[in-house]
């Protein structure tokens, strides 16, 4: 898939994103301001997007600051301007407790957002990596357009806020959602790879004006559909603008082929899969060690079957 999804939790997971993800998947130098770290990494600043921005006093395309990220994703779902709101309330004579509550967006949560990672299909980002300036401009514009359309689809058709006893009531967030988008140009291996991280806040406003939390299971269940929509939109925009065509390519025997830009050598496409091949080889070795492990008496330590849970744990470790 070309769209991945990961849960963002307040605490260590959020700090990981602040140290690495928002600065180009590199290592942010200690005590370096966010914008300075992004400039050093050669990546643009993050930008706010989503139809829910107006309710928070934010505008599409506005720069994402470290304080805003901390409040919304690191402080269990507070208003991006919570610091300012709390200071204003204290100045007006409110108690610290009441001032703190004024900066909240409903109940505090542990899961504060989800990270959608959008990257074009191999033949498209290869064209981006090796193409001229005009080709790169067209592909980046198509990439950005597709992300915006997928976010709108999530807002209109996927996201639901659960409330009431046992979440019996469900409602679409009528005002839309809020997300911080970060553009990257390289993979962790250093290979050219256009991709964006879309940190989507779980906070959404109900019809009654109260703030609730999006049901993240629905987002996970629709990741494949989001990936298909994104791929279709990017390919259509790129082919129409650059006068290219697509062709089917079999990735896994027995499964449906994927549509790729015609004319790109398959050997070059395989080069882009180097990291995936390394992970697959490592997982094979780990699984062999797992099923052949024995205790001090020579008895098998584990069942001779690798469960999906063990495989997922090994993959995360890699």
């Amino acid at each position: 898939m070309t769209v991945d999804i990961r849960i963002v939790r307040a605490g260590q997971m959020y700090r990981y994103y602040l140290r690495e993800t928002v600065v180009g998947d590199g290592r942010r130098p200690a005590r370096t301001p966010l914008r300075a770290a992004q400039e050093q990494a050669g990546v643009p600043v993050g930008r706010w997007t989503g139809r829910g921005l107006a309710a928070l006093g934010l505008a599409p395309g506005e720069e994402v600051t470290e304080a805003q990220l901390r409040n919304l994703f690191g402080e269990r779902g507070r208003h991006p301007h919570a610091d300012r709101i709390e200071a204003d309330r204290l100045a007006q004579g409110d108690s610290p407790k009441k001032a703190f509550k004024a900066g909240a967006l409903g109940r505090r949560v542990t899961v504060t957002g989800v990270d959608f990672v959008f990257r074009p299909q191999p033949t498209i980002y290869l064209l981006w990596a090796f193409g001229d300036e005009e080709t790169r401009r067209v592909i980046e514009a198509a990439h950005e357009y597709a992300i915006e359309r997928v976010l709108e689809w999530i807002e209109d058709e996927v996201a639901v806020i659960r409330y009431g006893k046992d979440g019996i009531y469900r409602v679409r967030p009528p005002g839309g959602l809020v997300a911080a988008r970060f553009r990257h140009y390289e993979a962790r291996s250093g290979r050219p790879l256009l991709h964006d991280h879309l940190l989507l806040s779980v906070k959404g406003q109900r019809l009654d004006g109260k703030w609730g939390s999006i049901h993240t299971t629905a987002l996970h269940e629709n990741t494949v559909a989001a990936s298909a929509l994104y791929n279709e939109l990017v390919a259509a925009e790129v082919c129409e603008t650059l006068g290219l065509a697509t062709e089917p390519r079999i990735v896994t025997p027995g499964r449906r082929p994927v549509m790729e830009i015609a004319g790109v050598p398959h050997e070059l496409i395989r080069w882009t899969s180097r990291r995936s091949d390394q992970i697959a080889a490592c997982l094979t070795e780990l699984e062999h060690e797992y099923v052949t492990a024995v205790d001090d008496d020579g008895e098998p330590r584990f069942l001779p079957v690798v469960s999906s849970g063990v495989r997922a744990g090994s993959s995360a470790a890699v």
Side-chain angles (χ1 to χ4, degrees), residues 27 29 39 47 134 153 158 163 207 255:
R27 186 71 177 181
E39 290 177 353
R47 299 293 179 184
E134 176 63 15
W153 172 73
V158 178
Y163 65 102
L207 285 168
R255 302 188 67 177

Side-chain angles (χ1 to χ4, degrees), residues 10 13 16 49 57 104 113 135 163 182 204 212 238 242 244 264 291 301:
M13 177 62 75
Y16 164 79
T49 186
T135 299
Y163 65 102
F182 297 89
V238 170
L242 298 179
L244 302 175
V264 179
V291 300
R301 294 181 58 189

Side-chain angles (χ1 to χ4, degrees), residues 203-223:
K203 287 299 183 178
Q205 206 169 22
R206 304 189 325 228
L207 285 168
D208 59 7
K210 294 182 179 180
W211 289 88
S213 297
I214 300 168
H215 189 39
T216 56
T217 300
L219 301 179
H220 278 279
E221 291 173 345
N222 285 275
T223 304

Side-chain angles (χ1 to χ4, degrees), residues 184-203:
H184 294 175
Y185 299 115
E186 294 181 348
R188 290 184 179 276
S189 63
R191 171 171 49 85
L193 176 61
L194 173 68
H195 65 287
D196 277 33
H197 288 263
L198 189 77
L199 267 61
L200 181 68
S201 171
V202 300
K203 287 299 183 178

Side-chain angles (χ1 to χ4, degrees), residues 37-217:
Q38 290 168 331
E39 290 177 353
Q40 292 175 16
V43 297
V45 299
R47 299 293 179 184
W48 288 109
T49 186
R51 293 203 300 261
L53 293 172
L56 298 177
L58 297 169
E62 186 177 329
E63 181 180 340
V64 178
T65 69
E66 184 165 354
Q68 292 169 342
L69 279 176
R70 182 188 67 246
N71 287 327
L72 189 57
F73 295 99
E75 295 293 336
R76 300 181 63 182
R78 287 173 60 74
H79 193 292
H81 294 146
D83 298 336
R84 188 179 67 194
I85 294 172
E86 187 173 354
D88 289 345
R89 290 300 187 93
L90 288 172
Q92 295 171 16
D94 285 352
S95 66
K97 182 177 180 180
K98 190 174 182 179
F100 182 84
K101 187 176 181 180
L105 299 177
R107 295 181 178 178
R108 303 183 74 190
V109 293
T110 300
V111 174
T112 57
V114 293
D115 175 26
F116 284 98
V117 184
F118 294 85
R119 63 183 182 279
Q121 291 168 280
T123 49
I124 293 180
Y125 73 69
L126 283 170
L127 286 176
W128 171 83
F130 297 112
D132 57 22
E133 183 176 348
E134 176 63 15
T135 299
R136 292 167 67 91
R137 185 193 64 78
V138 168
I139 292 175
E140 289 185 26
H143 168 69
E144 188 165 335
Y145 168 80
I147 293 174
E148 292 175 354
R149 297 291 83 78
V150 171
L151 177 56
E152 290 177 356
W153 172 73
I154 291 173
E155 291 175 317
D156 293 336
E157 305 293 340
V158 178
V160 291
I161 298 173
R162 299 179 62 185
Y163 65 102
K165 185 177 180 180
D166 298 325
I168 189 173
Y169 301 112
R170 300 189 178 194
V171 64
R172 300 272 184 227
L177 302 174
V178 173
R181 182 170 57 81
F182 297 89
R183 171 70 49 82
H184 294 175
Y185 299 115
E186 294 181 348
R188 290 184 179 276
S189 63
R191 171 171 49 85
L193 176 61
L194 173 68
H195 65 287
D196 277 33
H197 288 263
L198 189 77
L199 267 61
L200 181 68
S201 171
V202 300
K203 287 299 183 178
Q205 206 169 22
R206 304 189 325 228
L207 285 168
D208 59 7
K210 294 182 179 180
W211 289 88
S213 297
I214 300 168
H215 189 39
T216 56
T217 300

Side-chain angles (χ1 to χ4, degrees), residues 281-293:
C282 186
L283 284 178
T284 300
E285 295 178 5
L286 291 173
E287 289 181 6
H288 176 73
E289 293 176 4
Y290 179 86
V291 300
T292 58

